[in-house]
Amino acid sequence: MQIAMIGAGYVGLTTATCFAEIGHEVACHDADSERIRQLETGELPIYEPRLEEAMRRVVASGKLRFSRSGADCVSGADVVFLAVGTPAMRDGGIDLSQVEAAARLVSRWLKPGAVVAIKSTVVAGTCRRVREIMAEERQSLDFSVAANPEFLREGSAIEDFLCPDRIVIGCDDRRSASLLSEVYRPLTERGAPKVLSSTPNAELIKYAANAFLALKIGFINEVADLCAQTGADVGPVAEGIGLDRRIGPSFLRPGPGYGGSCFPKDTCAFAATGRDRGARQFLIETLIERNEKRKAALAGRVIAQGGLRKGSVVAVLGLAFKANTDDVRESAALTIAPILQKAGLRVRAHDPKAMTNARQWLRDVEWADTAYEAAHGADAVVVLTEWEEYKNIDLGRLACTMSQRVVFDYRNLLDPRAVAAHGLIYFSLGRPPVSPAGKSTRGRVSALAGTRRRVAAPARD
Ligand code: NAD
Ligand code: UGA
């Protein structure tokens, strides 16, 4: 089948590549002509594991091509996917301008009988709106609009696309149901479940799924804080509740608050839709507030528990919003590093993949090429992203290179006993504290305080 992909970002590039892998002829267009130029030369504008090899393979086989021309991409396509951005507006609502612009572009070149499938995450009613826009642009055109939300995660995007938990197709007519079912046949034949529903149902499934997953994270983060106050360990607690099949084990890892290009904006859009339509989503509204406060509160803990002084050096390990991506959108580091700086601390930062992106957002940071370089002479290390290389860090080398030896592990990556065995003072999330001397490390590390003036921690949330 001939497919056009509008938008060559994380979702557009991955899905275009995967559609080509499963046998379709795909043409991909992006409004950013520099991005298309890069892609034409085989360069990937994003980091996503396995994507580069897969993309090169399908380009070489002639199944995938890139084009600066919307007309060239769209005119021969049976199905046109829109995978453009849907950022949040100031009030938390969704900015549909990219979707609307893409709909106008597509309507000019679409062949009669073709289907436009919205892959971007959009609020209920967007398919109807896109249909109206396109009908205004080309009144005599016979076409269909469908919702086909995407559930892939950055960092495992290819596996998620090719082995999905489900494929959701929202359509209001037979043509789009049958064409989209055909597009996904190679996956459904291999056992991927298909949910065929109406367009508003599909639109809402996507938001409700993200909101629910974010709630699970918010829940376990608060449970972790309770564990810390009660002497319990969030690891076994999460395992114990996750074994209940009604709950499930995933998304129960405590962290510094969820980030990324999706959960923060999608929970806000979900809440905004609830307010607009008179069905307030109070749980999600509270979650959004608690998630933001968590990032600030963890910065406060570094200052309060680390016994830090003005001018103390903090090594921030991990700038991406999670491991295996170079994406820093709404990452914990972007909130935590400026709070530490505001308190008079020097921030040194490292990330295996996200330094280039982080440089656009963080100011006055000292950039380090390795985790050890970041930790050299540092008073505290704060782990914010669960990169494998931090999990496998050489603790002996870390302990030798640091000045004061305080480690804040906000991903519970390290083994508390191994850290303590190397003489490091260790703080993690919701796990009993272990100090090098076997004493409790609750509260401040006053013994480590030097002669510099202690900085005030921001108010507790
Ligand atoms: P992105 O910002 O990485 O990519 C969007 C691309 O669309 C950009 O390259 C931009 O130049 C291009 N674009 C914008 N307007 C255009 C137009 N009119 N014509 C052609 N190209 C245009 O965004 P993304 O992360 O790929 O997300 C896209 C959508 O998919 C969003 O709605 C997002 O919520 C959703 N989504 C994202 C993920 C994810 O993991 N990133 C997963 C599932 C769903
Ligand atoms: C998320 C969803 O998982 C995808 O299904 C969805 O398609 C996507 O949003 C989207 O709609 O765009 P993604 O943002 O790539 O995917 O990353 P996740 O793995 O979901 O992580 C999101 C955030 O939650 C990260 O900051 C991560 O560190 C955090 N997280 C995740 C936790 O703190 N604990 C967990 O147990 C899981």
Side-chain angles (χ1 to χ4, degrees):
M1 195 171 287
Q2 300 283 332
I3 288 179
M5 183 66 63
I6 308 298
Y10 284 92
V11 168
L13 267 184
T14 308
T15 54
T17 301
C18 291
F19 280 140
E21 284 262 70
I22 61 175
H24 301 300
E25 308 279 330
V26 186
C28 183
H29 165 74
D30 197 286
D32 180 348
S33 52
E34 171 55 20
R35 182 165 278 236
I36 295 295
R37 187 202 61 73
Q38 256 182 303
L39 289 164
E40 280 170 341
T41 60
E43 222 184 294
L44 219 64
I46 54 168
Y47 171 74
E48 177 60 40
R50 292 182 50 203
L51 183 56
E52 192 163 354
E53 313 89 86
M55 195 184 90
R56 291 214 170 124
R57 201 165 46 237
V58 287
V59 168
S61 70
K63 290 282 186 192
L64 173 64
R65 66 191 177 84
F66 298 99
S67 177
R68 274 162 239 233
S69 154
D72 169 43
C73 264
V74 170
S75 53
D78 305 300
V79 180
V80 178
F81 286 92
L82 307 188
V84 297
T86 48
M89 294 191 296
R90 254 175 210 288
D91 66 357
I94 174 179
D95 174 358
L96 284 173
S97 58
Q98 293 182 31
V99 172
E100 293 178 359
R104 286 198 179 86
L105 171 101
V106 166
S107 62
R108 256 176 261 149
W109 314 110
L110 198 68
K111 74 176 185 190
V115 171
V116 174
I118 304 183
K119 221 170 217 328
S120 303
T121 302
V122 292
V123 285
T126 306
C127 281
R128 199 186 55 229
R129 171 86 191 115
V130 163
R131 210 172 283 134
E132 283 165 10
I133 289 174
M134 292 183 61
E136 268 167 35
E137 292 285 316
R138 242 176 101 188
Q139 285 165 7
S140 57
L141 183 66
D142 172 33
F143 67 97
S144 303
V145 176
N148 174 221
E150 182 50 59
F151 297 92
L152 63 77
R153 288 162 300 174
E154 291 179 24
S156 54
I158 294 201
E159 293 85 346
D160 289 347
F161 184 88
L162 294 175
C163 304
D165 286 346
R166 76 302 207 187
I167 293 160
V168 174
I169 298 174
C171 26
D172 301 324
D173 58 32
R174 283 214 188 127
R175 172 168 54 201
S176 38
S178 118
L179 271 177
L180 282 166
S181 296
E182 191 53 31
V183 168
Y184 283 104
R185 199 152 55 83
L187 299 184
T188 49
E189 273 178 357
R190 275 192 241 154
K194 180 173 76 178
V195 177
L196 208 52
S197 199
S198 68
T199 52
N201 284 355
E203 290 163 331
L204 210 57
I205 286 170
K206 173 66 194 174
Y207 272 113
N210 272 4
F212 189 77
L213 289 169
L215 266 180
K216 272 186 104 173
I217 299 168
F219 175 76
I220 202 67
N221 282 341
E222 296 205 343
V223 170
D225 288 347
L226 187 58
C227 287
Q229 297 306 322
T230 52
D233 183 332
V234 69
V237 170
E239 196 186 337
I241 58 179
L243 280 169
D244 185 325
R245 274 173 294 176
R246 293 168 301 175
I247 297 172
S250 55
F251 277 67
L252 290 178
R253 277 176 288 116
Y258 59 77
S261 64
C262 301
F263 284 176
K265 86 167 166 58
D266 293 347
T267 45
C268 286
F270 191 65
T273 308
R275 282 193 298 272
D276 286 354
R277 304 292 174 96
R280 293 269 303 263
Q281 298 299 303
F282 293 105
L283 285 177
I284 300 301
E285 287 182 21
T286 305
L287 172 72
I288 294 165
E289 191 196 331
R290 297 305 309 160
N291 194 59
E292 268 320 294
K293 285 202 164 141
R294 179 169 184 79
K295 295 176 187 172
L298 291 189
R301 284 188 209 171
V302 172
I303 297 165
Q305 297 179 318
L308 301 174
R309 312 267 148 177
K310 273 199 195 303
S312 292
V313 176
V314 179
V316 171
L317 302 188
L319 304 167
F321 78 95
K322 64 173 194 176
N324 299 322
T325 179
D326 61 349
D327 198 340
V328 299
R329 289 178 280 185
E330 305 281 341
S331 79
L334 296 196
T335 302
I336 290 176
I339 295 176
L340 299 179
Q341 289 174 316
K342 211 169 161 200
L345 306 175
R346 276 168 61 197
V347 170
R348 212 176 281 147
H350 172 262
D351 189 284
K353 295 286 177 200
M355 304 254 276
T356 308
N357 286 337
R359 276 175 210 266
Q360 295 169 28
W361 300 99
L362 294 174
R363 296 279 161 265
D364 303 320
V365 162
E366 299 162 42
W367 304 98
D369 288 336
T370 66
Y372 303 105
E373 189 186 318
H376 182 69
D379 298 286
V381 160
V382 185
V383 179
L384 291 180
T385 312
E386 71 281 26
W387 286 102
E388 200 62 19
E389 87 166 64
Y390 299 152
K391 189 173 181 179
N392 298 324
I393 201 158
D394 179 338
L395 292 168
R397 198 172 155 195
L398 188 71
C400 285
T401 205
M402 289 180 71
S403 166
Q404 293 186 30
R405 298 170 160 194
V406 192
V407 174
F408 293 89
D409 175 6
Y410 286 159
R411 291 289 185 168
N412 285 3
L413 269 192
L414 306 170
D415 172 3
R417 298 205 173 274
V419 182
H422 285 87
L424 292 152
I425 309 275
Y426 182 62
F427 295 95
S428 56
L429 298 173
R431 298 194 292 186
V434 185
S435 79
K439 291 184 195 144
S440 165
T441 54
R442 278 185 206 285
R444 293 164 182 226
V445 187
S446 48
L448 295 174
T451 49
R452 284 167 285 174
R453 196 156 58 84
R454 174 169 270 153
V455 294
R460 286 173 70 94
D461 60 319

